[in-house]
Amino acid sequence: MNAKQEKSLSRIKEELELFDPIIPLLEMDPSPASALQVPILKNLCTQHRRTIECVETGEPFIGSTYTNPAEILTAMDVHWYFPIQQMFSGPAGEGTSHAAEDLEGLDKMALPGDSCTFMRLELYYQSQGLMPIPTAYLALTEPCDATAGVHAALMHHPDWRDTPCFAPDPPYHNNDKAIDYYAGEMRRMVDFISKHTGKTLDMNRLKEVVEETNKCYTMWMEYNEIRRSTPTPHSYIMPMSCFFQTNTAGAGGNPEITNWYEKMVADAERRVTENDPEVPNQKIRLLWYDIQPFYFGEIAPWLEQEWGAVIAMDMVSYCPYELIDTSTEDNIFRGLAKRSYQHGPMVHQARGSMDNVMTDITRIVKDYNMDCVIFPGHMGHKDMAASASLMAEVCRNLGVPFLHIGLDQADRRYTPVDEIKNKLSNFFTAMGLG
Amino acid sequence: MDTRINSKALKRFTEVADSVVNPEITKWKNEGGKILGYFCSYMPEELATAAEFLPVRLRATGSSGTEFSDSFLSNLNCSYPRNAFNMALQGEYDFIDGLIAFNSCDHIRRVYDYWKREVKTPFIKILSLPKKAEAAQVEWFRSELVDLTKGLEEHFGVTISDDDLRAAIRIHNETRRLLTELYELRKADNPVITGAEVLAVTVASTAMPKSIYNELLKELLEDLKQAEGINDHRARLMIIGPEMDDPEYIRAIEDQGCLVVADSLCYGSRLFWGEVKEDIADPYTALAQYYIADRPSSPGVYTEYESRAQFIRNMIDEYNVDGAILARLTFCETWAFEQYSMVQDFEEWNIPLLSIDREYMLSGVGQLRTRVQAFLETMEN
Ligand code: SF4
Ligand code: SF4
């Protein structure tokens, strides 16, 4: 390994050093919450080790992004990592030494500050050589201009310019023509992966993997149903993990992950049946309608403890995943296409028309018996900012209070946590909640 | 800085660029003609021409503010759609019979949503614009154009035959050839036309019937043959960026003593570069091929950065450009990341680049002048 490769792994190695010792401690803790955390951390550590191994040995591996089908990569037995993973050792891993350092480094870059900080950080990590350069890269051109733009910039970096890149092109429409087109993109993606890794796709293996992820999605949807209960069974930490469990490396099609979902559903069911919610004295049920800020660890527990306010549903969890029909090859690719370009968080809400925003908020408020809707309003979400007035209108019609905060999910300096808490407190008080 | 010619044609173009409604539009409307408004340079105007409609690209020229659109869009949104939608809410686009939008950016996508709800334009359609430019995307865009034709035929009771479309392609190709001739004149050591004037000419091409426009442009090209070259400029600049339809913006730059001789703007060269191939049998394929694959792309076609950079580099060489200004609209993320790569390339090329964030409506002219002055000084040192 040369010095560049060594540096590109440094954050991953730091994260391993952080998580590795925690796993045995959690394993000793008899609480159900700890038992549920263990597989998540184990999976993360295994993936990091695989990335290190690939860089060290020269084994082909892929850089990919969050809506590209984990099923295809798993079935082709190709290792991959998310370049944005670095954030979880940086600003996302609040408390690590890098949070402030990375944001200050970012300030010095020639990047307009009004564009999504999350994506700008990705370029910062690249500029610092903190991302392992993959054999090939699967980019993403949805759900927003920032995601698409960052991939173009990423691939232009001198160190990455020779890395082959495939960017599936998500259409705007949801009709059959569009699904067929995107299914074609998925097939072209398979060809691309084969060409650059030498791995081939066995359709029987893909079917098997999809059937396994179908089980995960079934469990996840069941879990969402249980969250309708009052009081809601879990603190917010648990549901936050669902999406990443189906989409990260090592998770798609892994029976251990299915098992994790089953345990989580069982624990939620038990808590509902025995009236044993993780958060006692629940007073406010709220819908958090945006992604979670990196520093949510300071907000979600505060909401629960200070106000008895639980996030009974959130935007990332409320996605219309459908099970994929595995009866034919065509159906599998069409199903993966829909899952990939229509269903994932942000993609579902931001890529197409804003009708999904209206219908989702309406259904969630009614089905989950919400007391209020919070729109954090990440500064990168230009389409969501443009939808805020409509969200407010929908909430007015439903007779449910609505708060638009305005924050930066990656940079707490934009709206300090205390200010966010003040806004929330004032809102709860003014609306007579809590 | 202005040309030293007195051209009636140039005056007409300048008047058209100065307002949203021009005498040609009024005449067209009074004669019962239909008008198809559209956002985005990816609209194949040929389809409208083939239907005997007048295609008009939607600007927000003369906008009085955003007080109405602020109830819908936010202050994190680009000022171009905010101003344009404000005008629509005030009824200033009531003259269009149809609106074609594209999912070209996060902001325009939402304008389309609100337009459908709030503005009573009889025919509204959004086309899905590919974000890359390979064979499958050409095919996809072709199918979108066929769908648009069907929609127009059904709604307006017209027929658009392949021959109509071929005829329209010929007229629009003539426009492209004439504009290319105009751009050729800018390569001279002492060009006969300023950047501001050229922008007025290209903007006018999006708001006039092409047959009339082409005749006027021929007249202008004749007039320019007599014109004296401009020789008192300190530097030859290129302008790069998204929506820029106000010649006054370029005039403010040129007033500092430089001359804008080239551009990569979506109201400039990227609007008309090259031609639609007339020897492709299927006119829809020919259009899709031109708009998606052959013409220099906008940054919304994210995978094509390298060819965009090459296009700019070629222009710099061919037009003997000393430095460039990249004028991005605030909150435009598409151009934010484009700018990031551009800055690196200009450094590699060792060509001065000034990056400016601006608002759609011309404001802060004093600051713009100061920055351009400083930029010109650094170039001279
Ligand atoms: S955080 Fe939002 S704006 Fe930023 S890249 Fe993700 S979806 Fe786009
Ligand atoms: S300038 Fe950028 S944000 Fe504004 S309308 Fe154009 S692409 Fe969209």
Side-chain angles (χ1 to χ4, degrees):
Chain A
M1 259 202 316
N2 59 35
K4 260 192 181 176
Q5 287 172 318
E6 193 70 62
K7 185 168 187 204
S8 75
L9 294 172
S10 57
R11 291 286 175 93
I12 290 180
K13 287 184 176 171
E14 271 179 39
E15 215 169 71
L16 268 179
E17 277 166 24
L18 190 72
F19 291 137
D20 261 343
I22 299 176
I23 295 171
L25 297 177
L26 284 174
E27 279 173 332
M28 282 190 296
D29 179 358
S31 76
S34 294
L36 285 169
Q37 294 290 335
V38 171
I40 299 175
L41 289 182
K42 272 191 172 167
N43 188 38
L44 188 75
C45 292
T46 308
Q47 294 321 308
H48 281 356
R49 272 190 256 283
R50 281 287 291 131
T51 305
I52 295 168
E53 194 176 272
C54 288
V55 174
E56 281 174 351
T57 62
E59 182 186 331
F61 70 110
I62 296 275
S64 184
T65 32
Y66 80 101
T67 66
N68 290 327
E71 288 87 346
I72 288 179
L73 289 152
T74 305
M76 293 181 83
D77 192 25
V78 180
H79 174 64
W80 82 97
Y81 85 107
F82 287 149
I84 55 165
Q85 179 68 47
Q86 298 310 310
M87 275 164 233
F88 298 93
S89 330
E94 291 277 334
T96 72
S97 54
H98 300 300
E101 162 200 330
D102 289 349
L103 289 168
E104 278 165 21
L106 178 60
D107 290 345
K108 297 191 188 107
M109 291 178 73
L111 266 165
D114 56 40
S115 50
C116 176
T117 311
F118 196 43
M119 292 297 102
R120 284 186 294 132
L121 271 170
E122 198 166 341
L123 291 179
Y124 167 74
Y125 297 126
Q126 185 191 44
S127 72
Q128 299 302 301
L130 292 170
M131 302 195 311
I133 302 175
T135 317
Y137 184 64
L138 301 177
L140 184 66
T141 53
E142 61 178 347
C144 62
D145 300 339
T147 305
V150 86
H151 291 301
L154 210 60
M155 299 319 297
H156 186 62
H157 188 278
D159 288 349
W160 286 59
R161 230 171 269 177
D162 294 332
T163 305
C165 173
F166 181 87
D169 172 42
Y172 174 85
H173 312 302
N174 295 327
N175 56 18
D176 278 346
K177 179 183 98 167
I179 296 165
D180 282 340
Y181 169 68
Y182 204 67
E185 288 290 273
M186 297 295 94
R187 287 178 187 274
R188 287 183 278 277
M189 181 189 275
V190 170
D191 293 344
F192 171 86
I193 299 168
S194 282
K195 184 173 167 199
H196 296 288
T197 64
K199 303 276 179 110
T200 49
L201 178 67
D202 171 355
M203 276 313 293
N204 288 329
R205 174 71 182 129
L206 182 60
K207 182 173 186 296
E208 196 181 284
V209 172
V210 171
E211 277 163 3
E212 197 64 42
T213 52
N214 272 349
K215 285 186 206 158
C216 290
Y217 284 109
T218 307
M219 286 287 126
W220 185 3
M221 296 307 114
E222 200 171 322
Y223 182 69
N224 278 351
E225 280 300 298
I226 301 172
R227 287 175 76 186
R228 287 194 195 196
S229 317
T230 306
T232 201
H234 285 142
S235 162
Y236 189 57
I237 303 301
M238 211 37 73
M240 239 169 94
S241 307
C242 287
F243 174 70
F244 295 99
Q245 288 318 294
T246 47
N247 283 274
T248 44
N254 181 346
E256 279 176 31
I257 301 300
T258 314
N259 188 259
W260 175 83
Y261 274 104
E262 281 163 0
K263 281 193 190 141
M264 192 176 65
V265 168
D267 188 64
E269 266 169 352
R270 181 197 64 76
R271 286 182 184 281
V272 169
T273 316
E274 295 173 12
N275 193 17
D276 177 29
E278 233 179 344
V279 181
N281 305 319
Q282 297 181 15
K283 297 194 193 93
I284 305 170
R285 294 172 66 81
L286 65 87
L287 163 60
W288 185 270
Y289 202 71
D290 205 338
I291 48 178
Q292 303 86 8
F294 289 171
Y295 42 86
F296 212 36
E298 285 175 55
I299 295 174
W302 171 85
L303 278 168
E304 291 172 352
Q305 285 149 26
E306 188 80 17
W307 285 96
V310 288
I311 298 170
M313 187 37 77
D314 60 283
M315 190 190 75
V316 175
S317 302
Y318 198 79
C319 291
Y321 289 109
E322 289 166 14
L323 302 188
I324 294 177
D325 170 4
T326 58
S327 59
T328 66
E329 185 175 323
D330 257 10
N331 287 347
I332 293 178
F333 275 104
R334 282 174 57 84
L336 287 172
K338 280 179 85 175
R339 197 175 267 180
S340 171
Y341 96 93
Q342 292 183 7
H343 292 164
M346 285 316 300
V347 164
H348 166 63
Q349 295 88 5
R351 175 193 56 84
S353 94
M354 63 185 178
D355 291 354
N356 287 345
V357 171
M358 290 189 286
T359 44
D360 283 2
I361 292 181
T362 306
R363 282 181 54 189
I364 296 171
V365 166
K366 287 181 178 168
D367 293 353
Y368 289 78
N369 200 14
M370 291 297 179
D371 298 309
C372 58
V373 175
I374 309 293
F375 171 52
H378 166 48
M379 50 70 82
H381 289 158
K382 308 299 192 287
D383 64 289
M384 297 286 272
S387 315
S389 63
L390 198 89
M391 294 182 204
E393 183 189 310
V394 169
C395 290
R396 238 186 342 268
N397 293 341
L398 290 165
V400 66
F402 172 80
L403 173 68
H404 178 177
I405 299 175
L407 50 77
D408 182 332
Q409 65 117 351
D411 186 349
R412 57 167 73 221
R413 296 170 305 178
Y414 188 95
T415 308
V417 171
D418 281 345
E419 199 179 319
I420 295 171
K421 287 180 179 172
N422 275 342
K423 284 189 180 188
L424 285 161
S425 294
N426 293 341
F427 170 72
F428 293 147
T429 307
M431 295 299 153
L433 300 164
Chain B
M1 203 172 276
D2 277 313
T3 45
R4 289 104 209 246
I5 56 153
N6 189 7
S7 166
K8 274 194 197 142
L10 186 57
K11 277 205 190 85
R12 284 277 293 281
F13 290 141
T14 307
E15 280 159 19
V16 170
D18 268 356
S19 61
V20 161
V21 181
N22 63 64
E24 302 305 336
I25 289 180
T26 311
K27 186 161 170 264
W28 188 277
K29 205 69 198 164
N30 288 344
E31 288 171 1
K34 299 270 185 250
I35 296 182
L36 212 52
Y38 65 92
F39 282 115
C40 190
S41 58
Y42 277 85
M43 168 67 193
E45 285 189 326
E46 287 88 344
L47 277 180
T49 304
E52 295 186 8
F53 297 166
L54 175 62
V56 173
R57 184 158 168 192
L58 302 188
R59 290 178 267 133
T61 309
S63 163
S64 58
T66 58
E67 67 272 36
F68 296 103
S69 59
D70 284 350
S71 306
F72 302 93
L73 302 169
S74 104
N75 57 7
L76 291 184
N77 291 121
C78 169
S79 51
Y80 160 57
R82 288 173 69 194
N83 279 283
F85 188 51
N86 199 71
M87 289 175 78
L89 289 169
Q90 287 177 294
E92 293 187 51
Y93 281 124
D94 285 356
F95 66 88
I96 63 171
D97 301 283
L99 171 75
I100 313 298
F102 294 80
N103 59 332
S104 45
C105 74
D106 294 345
H107 313 250
I108 293 289
R109 240 180 18 249
R110 292 295 164 254
V111 168
Y112 164 75
D113 284 327
Y114 283 123
W115 196 297
K116 266 195 311 187
R117 287 165 52 101
E118 306 293 333
V119 188
K120 301 286 164 262
T121 304
F123 176 83
I124 304 185
K125 192 162 171 68
I126 187 163
L127 302 195
S128 176
L129 187 65
K131 293 183 164 101
K132 58 182 185 181
E134 290 162 20
Q137 284 65 54
V138 171
E139 188 51 36
W140 165 263
F141 198 58
R142 181 196 178 277
S143 76
E144 286 292 277
L145 299 185
V146 170
D147 288 352
L148 174 58
T149 298
K150 282 185 199 146
L152 291 171
E153 287 180 334
E154 263 167 38
H155 180 88
F156 292 102
V158 293
T159 307
I160 303 172
S161 72
D162 283 2
D163 280 342
D164 294 333
L165 206 44
R166 285 189 199 101
I169 289 172
R170 282 195 292 277
I171 297 176
H172 286 254
N173 270 347
E174 187 184 14
T175 307
R176 294 183 180 106
R177 278 192 292 276
L178 293 168
L179 285 170
T180 307
E181 258 183 65
L182 181 72
Y183 268 54
E184 281 295 310
L185 300 176
R186 308 174 83 185
K187 291 181 179 171
D189 286 344
N190 297 321
V192 286
I193 190 161
T194 68
E197 288 163 340
V198 169
L199 186 64
V201 176
T202 52
V203 166
S205 79
T206 66
M208 293 175 83
K210 284 292 179 293
S211 48
I212 297 175
Y213 179 83
N214 288 352
E215 290 314 307
L216 273 178
L217 188 45
K218 284 178 200 161
E219 201 180 306
L220 172 64
L221 287 166
E222 273 307 308
D223 294 343
L224 288 174
K225 284 185 184 153
Q226 331 296 329
E228 194 187 319
I230 302 162
N231 55 11
D232 53 354
H233 48 283
R234 291 160 65 187
R236 298 167 67 90
L237 295 189
M238 176 171 189
I239 303 278
I240 303 166
E243 188 80 21
M244 183 186 288
D245 55 34
D246 185 357
E248 287 309 311
Y249 190 86
I250 295 192
R251 199 180 308 280
I253 292 171
E254 292 183 316
D255 279 350
Q256 304 320 299
C258 54
L259 194 63
V260 171
V261 295
D263 70 73
S264 173
L265 294 172
C266 65
Y267 265 99
S269 63
R270 293 204 316 276
L271 188 65
F272 67 83
W273 214 251
E275 283 181 39
V276 179
K277 291 196 178 80
E278 291 177 26
D279 56 359
I280 295 181
D282 171 34
Y284 290 97
T285 303
L287 286 172
Q289 174 70 29
Y290 172 75
Y291 282 94
I292 299 304
D294 293 350
R295 198 179 62 167
S297 59
S298 98
V301 183
Y302 296 94
T303 54
E304 292 306 300
Y305 176 80
E306 302 302 335
S307 64
R308 277 193 298 281
Q310 192 56 52
F311 173 69
I312 288 172
R313 177 69 238 205
N314 291 347
M315 256 203 169
I316 287 172
D317 294 340
E318 285 174 26
Y319 290 75
N320 200 12
V321 167
D322 301 312
I325 295 180
L326 195 158
R328 162 190 173 262
L329 284 168
T330 317
F331 299 116
C332 174
E333 290 181 302
T334 302
W335 276 89
F337 293 99
E338 185 83 352
Q339 178 186 313
Y340 173 75
S341 298
M342 276 286 143
V343 168
Q344 293 170 26
D345 281 347
F346 271 80
E347 263 169 31
E348 267 177 42
W349 299 337
N350 198 20
I351 295 168
L353 175 72
L354 172 66
S355 298
I356 292 178
D357 281 354
R358 66 179 194 100
E359 296 301 321
Y360 173 78
M361 298 304 287
L362 184 56
S363 60
V365 179
Q367 202 200 7
L368 173 67
R369 287 192 179 126
T370 312
R371 292 200 62 191
V372 174
Q373 268 298 339
F375 180 57
L376 292 174
E377 276 159 29
T378 50
M379 280 170 59
E380 284 159 352
N381 291 333

